[in-house]
Amino acid sequence: MSSAPLQPILRPHPPSSISSFSSPRRTRPSPLARPCRLAAAREMPWPHVLTVAGSDSGGGAGIQADVKACAALGAYCSSVITAVTAQNTAGVQGVHLVPEEFIRKQLNSVLSDMSVDVVKTGMLPSVGIVQILCESLRKFPVKALVVDPVMVSTSGDSLSDPSTLKNYRDELFAMADIVTPNVKEASKLLGGVSLHTVSDMRDAAASIYKFGPRYVLVKGGDMPDSSEAIDVFYDGKEFIELRGHRIKTRNTHGTGCTLASSIAAELAKGSTMLHAVRVAKNFVESALDHSKDLTIGNGPQGPFDHLFRLKFPPYNIGSQQRFNPDSLFLYAVTDSRMNKKWGHSIEDAVKAAIEGGATIVQLREKDVESREFLEAAKACVEICKSSGVPLLINDRVDIALACNADGVHVGQSDISARKVRELLGPGKIIGVSCKTPAQAEQAWNDGADYIGCGGVFPTTTKANNPTLGFEGLKTVCLASKLPVVAIGGINATNAGSVMELGIPNLKGVAVVSALFDREHVMAETMNLRSILTNALCSV
Ligand SMILES: Nc1ncnc2c1ncn2[C@@H]1O[C@H](COP(=O)(O)OP(=O)(O)OP(=O)(O)O)[C@@H](O)[C@H]1O
Ligand SMILES: Cc1ncc(CO)c(N)n1
Ligand SMILES: [Mg+2]
């Protein structure tokens, strides 16, 4: 990780035009692509989002949603209030604008004193407010700007003067890292075009991109009935459809505010933009799912519980831990039968593998009683922690939670990665075994961190496991947006040839028998590590 101090990055983008579509702006490395350093050495970093938005007296949207979402995701949230609304589950009964000069004062108070990483905007109800915000951001640059162009509430009430449209497009969007309109807002921004399909959403995202933001997310929460909630993400080159389950509930008030502030919180924590958007969408879906039957108020649209995770104490909400794909290099997978055969305890086997140079460990214990497994897993967590090696648990989410492991690896017939992510939270590592491009795509959509692909060679460790060979491995790697670890029959004789394939996202090999069906686990691991290192150097 770079030790460079945090650089302010928000500067006005070039004026929007058709040519900005292919402008050099896109080729400049995104500052969000690298994790941020938030404070000088020895200071505790605290990711900080400033929300510039309206208050919702009902507590479900606006400032109130932003503060709760940031808190839930482990970021600090300061707030500049642009308007006070009288609002409940029935709709908006009144809007009272805060005087513009007082908004300037609030912005100045926060930005001149506190180190804000990301600014998120919600309700900006007048032309003057948009201008004041842009001036403040030029004076006090921040790391990223997330613009949720709030115009109309879901109840259909107007939250912004139509005259702000031009300022939004010409001034604010040009400074924004991401703009997150819903379909109605996207339509308004584009002069009233009608948007009915995902293809229309793509076209809208491309048109809004021309106004100057680095990324656009057109949200489909309000699209006609479907089993999925589909948002379209666009980075100027590629469209990505983010598909989530549509939760059947009346409690969707504030989903847009929550999504945008969650993106801001993740960016403040150092995520790349796409990762931030995926975590945010997953968070909204989980919150809606947990809140679907709650009742507050008598109107048609209720709020949801942003802090649902507090009900799950093991949920590591503040985790700053990030997955490093390079840790897949020498992936040691334990096997209780082999350990028994050689008279090794799980702990001794893990210790030996780490001493020999394993870079990540997975406990795959099929024949051990749960209580015994948990005790061994706890001991392994300590061993791995002291060596800085991540420890994953195969399949058993309960064991992973109980021993606070670094993550879980699941197969195609285990609990889905999406569900595991919901249970473990954003900070944990999730891997999925995949044999096909479609499974790799699903793992990516479900929020996994890596995939395991195999069996590359025939193996005796896993029954009825078809062999993919190098061609199958290549096909899956090529299709996978996630880093890959190869698995299945890999040993000291053939490991080098796997790494020599030189596939960019193939980060390492996972081995079971070659390390653990041996008397001297440490020596075998050292040997394999040097073979892998040599192979890597020769590519
Ligand atoms: N019923 C639902 N189930 C799952 N996800 C949903 C649902 N409704 C909305 N979403 C998701 O919530 C996020 C916010 O989208 P939405 O279109 O609701 O924004 P919005 O209209 O700006 O919300 P609001 O104005 O109520 O705050 C999107 O990622 C969307 O896909
Ligand atoms: C204050 C406020 N901001 C945003 C929205 C959009 O949901 C709302 N309903 N109220
Ligand atoms: Mg909205």
Side-chain angles (χ1 to χ4, degrees):
M1 197 186 276
S2 149
S3 59
L6 175 66
Q7 297 290 321
I9 57 135
L10 186 79
R11 342 185 187 109
H13 302 180
S16 69
S17 68
I18 298 292
S19 66
S20 75
F21 220 120
S22 55
S23 78
R25 175 166 70 77
R26 285 184 290 113
T27 54
R28 165 168 87 68
S30 164
L32 299 168
R34 63 180 155 74
C36 67
R37 271 287 187 198
L38 298 160
R42 271 183 277 127
E43 279 179 17
M44 259 303 260
W46 197 354
H48 183 160
V49 174
L50 163 62
T51 170
V52 183
S55 160
D56 168 9
S57 58
I63 289 277
Q64 288 80 359
D66 298 341
V67 172
K68 286 185 278 187
C70 287
L73 292 167
Y76 182 76
C77 186
S78 52
S79 50
V80 163
I81 299 185
T82 56
V84 182
T85 68
Q87 204 171 162
N88 58 21
T89 58
V92 182
Q93 290 81 44
V95 176
H96 181 75
L97 300 201
V98 171
E100 288 175 3
E101 282 316 306
F102 200 76
I103 293 172
R104 192 193 297 278
K105 205 171 196 125
Q106 293 178 72
L107 282 165
N108 201 59
S109 291
V110 177
L111 291 168
S112 67
D113 174 48
M114 307 168 100
S115 54
V116 171
D117 295 304
V118 180
V119 167
K120 176 257 163 182
T121 70
M123 190 174 164
L124 301 175
S126 73
V127 172
I129 294 173
V130 178
Q131 283 169 344
I132 287 168
L133 174 66
C134 292
E135 281 166 29
S136 299
L137 289 171
R138 278 190 281 268
K139 191 167 164 197
F140 301 105
V142 294
K143 196 175 130 223
L145 173 63
V146 176
V147 173
D148 182 20
V150 171
M151 292 171 192
V152 189
S153 76
T154 314
S155 51
D157 302 282
S158 176
L159 296 170
S160 156
D161 191 292
S163 60
T164 56
L165 260 182
K166 194 170 149 30
N167 285 69
Y168 256 115
R169 285 188 305 224
D170 296 350
E171 215 178 343
L172 194 61
F173 282 13
M175 296 175 90
D177 288 277
I178 186 164
V179 179
T180 64
N182 60 27
V183 280
K184 279 187 216 140
E185 288 154 352
S187 161
K188 264 189 191 254
L189 287 163
L190 297 171
V193 292
S194 46
L195 305 175
H196 299 295
T197 63
V198 174
S199 166
D200 295 341
M201 288 166 73
R202 284 172 171 242
D203 293 344
S207 300
I208 292 168
Y209 181 81
K210 291 180 194 165
F211 296 133
R214 287 183 170 82
Y215 301 89
V216 178
L217 183 76
V218 177
K219 302 172 294 187
D222 292 338
M223 287 298 267
D225 273 355
S226 111
S227 61
E228 290 181 310
I230 305 169
D231 302 342
V232 172
F233 178 85
Y234 184 57
D235 62 4
K237 279 181 275 193
E238 203 187 345
F239 296 97
I240 296 176
E241 284 169 25
L242 299 163
R243 291 171 178 267
H245 298 290
R246 181 176 289 278
I247 310 298
K248 280 201 166 58
T249 177
R250 63 184 272 283
N251 296 331
T252 57
H253 179 62
T255 41
C257 309
T258 303
L259 187 85
S261 44
S262 304
I263 294 170
E266 289 305 307
L267 293 177
K269 284 155 66 179
S271 282
T272 59
M273 185 60 82
L274 183 54
H275 185 74
V277 171
R278 292 174 66 211
V279 170
K281 183 161 171 61
N282 220 348
F283 175 73
V284 170
E285 185 186 313
S286 302
L288 292 180
D289 196 25
H290 280 87
S291 314
K292 55 180 182 280
D293 301 321
L294 300 178
T295 335
I296 293 186
N298 298 306
Q301 217 204 6
F304 56 91
D305 183 3
H306 293 75
L307 299 176
F308 68 97
R309 287 169 178 171
L310 290 180
K311 294 167 188 157
F312 299 91
Y315 208 109
N316 197 353
I317 50 178
S319 172
Q320 287 291 305
Q321 193 182 7
R322 303 211 56 78
F323 172 60
N324 178 359
D326 292 335
S327 64
L328 299 173
F329 187 55
L330 205 181
Y331 187 136
V333 185
T334 69
D335 181 300
S336 47
R337 274 178 301 118
M338 291 174 194
N339 287 335
K340 226 170 258 164
K341 174 174 158 194
W342 293 98
H344 301 148
S345 67
I346 303 175
E347 295 92 313
D348 286 346
V350 166
K351 208 179 279 173
I354 290 177
E355 281 166 4
T359 52
I360 189 165
V361 173
Q362 182 197 129
L363 301 188
R364 183 172 177 273
E365 300 295 326
K366 298 275 183 192
D367 328 305
V368 182
E369 296 291 336
S370 293
R371 191 170 297 195
E372 191 189 331
F373 186 14
L374 177 58
E375 288 315 308
K378 279 183 188 163
C380 291
V381 163
E382 290 312 312
I383 294 164
C384 288
K385 205 185 274 170
S386 65
S387 321
V389 169
L391 180 87
L392 310 184
I393 306 289
N394 182 61
D395 185 12
R396 295 286 301 268
V397 181
D398 56 341
I399 300 280
L401 284 169
C403 71
N404 196 19
D406 296 297
V408 165
H409 184 93
V410 285
Q412 291 295 325
S413 49
D414 299 328
I415 304 181
S416 74
R418 177 181 288 270
K419 193 73 199 170
V420 178
R421 172 65 71 212
E422 192 183 314
L423 293 168
L424 293 188
K428 297 290 184 185
I429 303 169
I430 297 176
V432 184
S433 299
C434 297
K435 285 184 177 298
T436 64
Q439 290 172 352
E441 176 75 15
Q442 187 64 47
W444 157 263
N445 283 330
D446 283 351
D449 295 294
Y450 74 90
I451 63 167
C453 183
V456 179
F457 304 107
T459 169
T460 49
T461 315
K462 210 167 176 185
N464 308 319
N465 190 28
T467 302
L468 293 183
F470 284 167
E471 281 315 306
L473 175 65
K474 271 190 219 165
T475 306
V476 176
C477 286
L478 213 67
S480 174
K481 296 188 184 101
L482 293 170
V484 184
V485 62
I487 189 162
I490 298 174
N491 55 39
T493 314
N494 58 26
S497 62
V498 177
M499 292 316 284
E500 280 161 9
L501 291 171
I503 306 170
N505 61 339
L506 180 60
K507 297 293 180 184
V509 299
V511 274
V512 192
S513 327
L515 302 188
F516 295 113
D517 200 3
R518 300 285 190 277
E519 186 174 4
H520 299 293
V521 174
M522 184 174 89
E524 298 292 344
T525 317
M526 280 173 87
N527 181 38
L528 190 62
R529 177 144 177 165
S530 83
I531 289 168
L532 290 173
T533 309
N534 289 339
L536 201 62
C537 293
S538 73
V539 174

